[in-house]
Amino acid sequence: MRKILIIESQGELRAAHMALLSHEGYEIIVTDGSTAALELIRKQYPDLILCALELSGGDNFELLQYLQHQPDLLSIPIVLLTTIRNELRWRQSVSLGADDCLIVPFSDRDLLDAITIRLRKQDALTTRYNTLMRHTAERLNRLSRYDSLTELPNYQLLKQRLEQAMRRASKGKQQVALLTLSLDRLRQVNNTLGYAAGDMLLTAAAQRLTGILPRSTAVARLTGNQFAIVVPAPKSRDTIIEMVSDIFTSLGHSFSLPGQQVFMTASIGIALFPEDSEDISVLLRQADAALDWAKVQKSHSYRFYRPDLPVVSGDELQIETWLRYALERDEFEVWYQPKYSLSQGRIVGAEALIRWQHPETGYISPGKFIPLSEETGLIVPIGDWVLKTVCSQTAKWLHSGQPVVAIAVNLSSVQLNQADLAQRIQTILTDTHLPPEHLELEVTETALMQDIEPAIALLHDLKDLGVRIAIDDFGTGYASLSYLQKLPIDILKIDTSFVRNIHENATNQSILRHVIAMAHELDLKVIAEGIETEIEMHTLKGFGCDLIQGYWVGTPMDATEFAQRL
Ligand code: C2E
Ligand code: MG
Ligand code: MG
């Protein structure tokens, strides 16, 4: 029922207006003064105000003026009733927001028409406003939840769908499969046929996917060429595999682009809730890890996530981004950990260890970022930087007469796979004027054993440069002692794990005695790393170990401090 506020002094006229309007079905509120009216308007929020305050008095203007400044009340239509024929007053009222003015005497019809028209206009405005608001809200909603190119749900909506599916699945003790799919050759299409063609291809692929998959599955576009598919409650792995094979078949048909037919291949990674994880973001990364694995296979292949696959953590992603800029921004430093000769009783060299001081988070340990830089290939420029820095620093020390025998640099397995590694090291030695015998290269046992034959060839190339070669972390890999004979190496670096509390560990004592004796027979020097206590030092000295490195001699330190220790 529409509500009308009548502001009119008591009397026959007011009674007549009230009677007429209630008879017409309006709900009536009534008052005779402007102050009470304001209160009523605020409380009751009428659909229309019928105001008979005299146009000659100030009350009328005050009321209109007040309403003008109330944004939420501004839209209430106001019809004035007056006995004064004064166009100026009338215009003033309109300019203050009155919508109509009836001059007494007027007929009932006049009054009802005036009210109906105002209310109808009001309704039309409200409807238009509501529609506009709804459209805007829908548009915003779509934009925030759907990909504008393919019109598929985006990452936000995918997460919701996945959450729903997981909630339902856990009630029914069922699984949810999360598939991530990447179109393998989108980049070539973009590069050769242009981005418009790439967009067409993406749209067509999206349509094919939604076309063949059951309605219960949700397909979303995650990034450029990557899609995700949520399969709620698959009966078994076979159901998923069938679905995957349908996807490959469908995407395997050629796509018609202007002037060209192209063929696409795709790779799919699959992670299962709750088997692999119950956490959405972990599940997504697991599916991605499986996808990465699938991509290495031939085209059109899929892989289920396995716990031994490396999954990128949020942390790692952040570090990876920083890592890309760290060299440019000069955030790395090389520190030196002294190597101590047990027979000479003095420091004869050091191991160079990279240090990364990030401006925001501070120190990030090599244990965290070296594996990541190996995965991303960034270890190659980083490793070159370490080599250059160390060689030029060592050359400076030699120049200034410091008794440094050799500084060791760690080489990663990724660097070992660089065909031109020996060449690059040669260039660095030449550029920094460092005689090669002062550079030592530490290669871990595990890195060597990955692909032993080419590794042996490479070690020979390195050896020919005149540098010294050490096997790092010896004892942690699977290098059999007989292999050592074949390797052109100079130093065995025994891993910390054998050294820790050596005086209390009879097994390790006997291993170390044998390893040291055998190494000496092969004309290798032995260095033990991670020596933290005097007793560990004495024990190793007793076994004939040549060198030690560890906190007992000194922790890694910057170049200035190391020069002082020398
Ligand atoms: P690593 O080559 O075996 O280096 C020895 C690690 O043991 C260093 O850790 C060193 O700080 C630590 N350490 C030394 N003495 C002791 C000790 O007495 N007790 C204990 N508990 N630890 C000791 P850091 O510097 O964190 O380096 C870790 C690993 O990161 C290195 O192991 C090496 O594999 C790698 N790394 C460091 N710098 C480089 C680099 O420039 N290039 C490459 N490719 N790898 C590097
Ligand atoms: Mg090392
Ligand atoms: Mg080591």
Side-chain angles (χ1 to χ4, degrees):
M1 197 195 267
R2 316 301 294 265
K3 201 189 286 178
I4 296 180
L5 169 66
I6 301 178
I7 313 171
E8 188 168 24
S9 49
Q10 242 174 332
E12 264 174 47
L13 262 180
R14 186 171 97 173
H17 292 153
M18 286 170 67
L20 173 70
L21 296 179
S22 358
H23 182 258
E24 284 297 313
Y26 293 109
E27 183 188 338
I28 307 295
I29 342 165
V30 66
T31 176
D32 56 5
S34 60
T35 324
L38 289 176
E39 220 171 277
L40 277 174
I41 294 169
R42 268 256 159 265
K43 275 196 196 131
Q44 302 260 346
Y45 209 84
D47 295 293
L48 183 139
I49 298 168
L50 207 57
C51 175
L53 291 172
E54 253 331 312
L55 287 192
S56 56
D59 282 359
N60 173 44
F61 289 142
E62 227 170 70
L63 177 80
L64 291 174
Q65 240 157 5
Y66 172 81
L67 292 178
Q68 282 242 304
H69 292 104
Q70 309 300 311
D72 56 327
L73 305 177
L74 195 58
S75 64
I76 303 174
I78 302 170
V79 176
L80 302 177
L81 308 176
T82 181
T83 51
I84 299 178
R85 278 176 190 281
N86 180 331
E87 206 182 324
L88 180 68
R89 298 264 176 205
W90 185 79
R91 284 224 43 82
Q92 280 173 337
S93 301
V94 168
S95 68
L96 281 172
D99 295 271
D100 202 352
C101 185
L102 295 175
I103 297 167
V104 180
F106 49 81
S107 66
D108 287 355
R109 193 69 268 148
D110 288 341
L111 178 60
L112 290 178
D113 282 353
I115 290 175
T116 328
I117 286 216
R118 285 303 131 200
L119 287 177
R120 212 188 291 148
K121 278 203 163 174
Q122 192 63 18
D123 288 346
L125 269 175
T126 314
T127 315
R128 229 175 72 197
Y129 173 78
N130 287 346
T131 318
L132 193 74
M133 284 305 278
R134 208 182 51 241
H135 284 323
T136 314
E138 275 167 12
R139 236 188 101 64
L140 282 174
N141 192 14
R142 262 203 97 69
L143 279 176
S144 68
R145 289 142 52 94
Y146 289 86
D147 167 45
S148 53
L149 175 66
T150 59
E151 304 206 328
L152 290 179
N154 65 14
Y155 176 65
Q156 294 308 326
L157 189 52
L158 172 87
K159 278 203 302 198
Q160 285 180 21
R161 298 272 160 90
L162 189 53
E163 227 164 75
Q164 286 167 357
M166 281 160 59
R167 232 180 293 129
R168 267 190 231 123
S170 38
K171 277 190 200 138
K173 302 227 179 314
Q174 289 160 318
Q175 291 190 312
V176 177
L178 173 66
L179 283 59
T180 53
L181 176 151
S182 97
L183 294 177
D184 298 329
R185 284 202 291 254
L186 183 69
R187 190 138 43 112
Q188 281 102 308
V189 171
N190 279 337
N191 288 346
T192 53
L193 303 176
Y195 282 93
D199 282 355
M200 286 175 75
L201 191 67
L202 277 165
T203 316
Q207 280 165 359
R208 287 195 192 173
L209 285 174
T210 43
I212 58 149
L213 290 168
R215 285 186 68 84
S216 61
T217 59
V219 184
R221 181 171 175 221
L222 292 185
T223 57
N225 64 340
Q226 197 168 333
F227 296 84
I229 299 163
V230 177
V231 186
K235 286 205 183 67
S236 64
R237 284 197 175 215
D238 288 341
T239 322
I240 303 168
I241 295 170
E242 263 167 43
M243 200 175 270
V244 164
S245 119
D246 287 348
I247 293 174
F248 287 149
T249 313
S250 156
L251 295 179
H253 298 301
S254 70
F255 288 83
S256 313
L257 298 180
Q260 187 108 16
Q261 294 278 101
V262 300
F263 285 89
M264 284 308 272
T265 58
S267 310
I268 292 179
I270 307 157
L272 297 174
F273 163 90
E275 195 177 313
D276 295 325
S277 174
E278 299 188 13
D279 179 304
I280 290 188
S281 56
V282 175
L283 215 53
L284 267 164
R285 292 200 290 259
Q286 289 172 331
D288 273 351
L291 175 63
D292 283 343
W293 188 30
K295 277 187 199 160
V296 194
Q297 320 294 316
K298 58 182 177 19
S299 53
H300 278 328
S301 62
Y302 67 91
R303 284 286 180 262
F304 282 89
Y305 171 72
R306 273 190 351 207
D308 58 339
L309 292 181
V311 174
V312 179
S313 73
D315 239 24
E316 284 172 2
L317 281 180
Q318 179 63 73
I319 295 182
E320 186 184 323
T321 316
W322 288 340
L323 203 50
R324 292 190 183 274
Y325 297 102
L327 261 187
E328 282 170 36
R329 297 183 187 159
D330 214 14
E331 290 169 2
F332 292 122
E333 243 186 278
V334 174
W335 281 31
Y336 298 86
Q337 184 175 34
K339 293 187 177 185
Y340 180 87
S341 159
L342 286 169
S343 57
Q344 299 174 47
R346 67 172 187 104
I347 292 170
V348 290
E351 173 174 13
L353 294 161
I354 189 165
R355 290 294 175 262
W356 183 16
Q357 193 69 33
H358 187 269
E360 278 164 48
T361 49
Y363 175 74
I364 302 177
S365 80
K368 249 201 176 131
F369 73 85
I370 293 283
L372 208 57
S373 59
E374 287 175 333
E375 264 167 47
T376 52
L378 288 166
I379 190 68
V380 174
I382 293 176
D384 275 0
W385 177 86
V386 172
L387 277 163
K388 274 181 212 155
T389 310
V390 169
C391 289
S392 86
Q393 178 64 69
T394 312
K396 263 188 224 156
W397 280 328
L398 288 172
H399 237 40
S400 63
Q402 302 274 20
V404 48
V405 178
I407 305 291
V409 171
N410 291 286
L411 287 185
S412 133
S413 62
V414 177
Q415 288 171 285
L416 295 181
N417 287 324
Q418 300 279 296
D420 59 347
L421 179 68
Q423 182 54 50
R424 288 233 290 275
I425 293 179
Q426 174 64 69
T427 311
I428 292 172
L429 287 169
T430 315
D431 290 352
T432 55
H433 306 290
L434 181 72
E437 64 272 20
H438 296 290
L439 178 65
E440 209 168 277
L441 299 174
E442 289 192 9
V443 181
T444 63
E445 190 187 337
T446 20
L448 277 182
M449 290 302 140
Q450 277 173 16
D451 204 354
I452 186 74
E453 294 306 327
I456 293 177
L458 174 76
L459 289 189
H460 278 289
D461 289 347
L462 293 176
K463 188 83 189 139
D464 290 345
L465 298 178
V467 300
R468 306 204 294 181
I469 297 171
I471 301 289
D472 201 357
D473 303 342
F474 184 78
T476 57
Y478 305 99
S480 65
L481 290 174
S482 60
Y483 254 123
L484 292 180
Q485 271 176 299
K486 293 196 195 172
L487 300 176
I489 54 174
D490 308 275
I491 300 151
L492 260 197
K493 203 166 177 189
I494 292 172
D495 190 68
T496 317
S497 51
F498 292 94
V499 169
R500 188 67 57 245
N501 297 323
I502 181 72
H503 51 287
E504 294 170 349
N505 188 326
T507 319
N508 280 354
Q509 285 181 17
S510 117
I511 293 176
L512 276 191
R513 258 201 221 96
H514 279 93
V515 167
I516 291 171
M518 187 221 49
H520 284 162
E521 250 167 59
L522 293 173
D523 214 15
L524 302 176
K525 292 256 181 279
V526 179
I527 175 162
E529 61 180 330
I531 305 288
E532 290 183 354
T533 61
E534 192 163 354
I535 192 158
E536 286 169 355
M537 183 275 290
H538 278 303
T539 315
L540 279 147
K541 195 173 181 180
F543 292 168
C545 184
D546 305 285
L547 299 147
I548 56 167
Q549 178 186 337
Y551 296 164
W552 184 76
V553 181
T555 54
M557 53 193 83
D558 66 18
T560 322
E561 202 185 333
F562 178 69
Q564 282 160 7
R565 285 294 301 272
L566 273 175

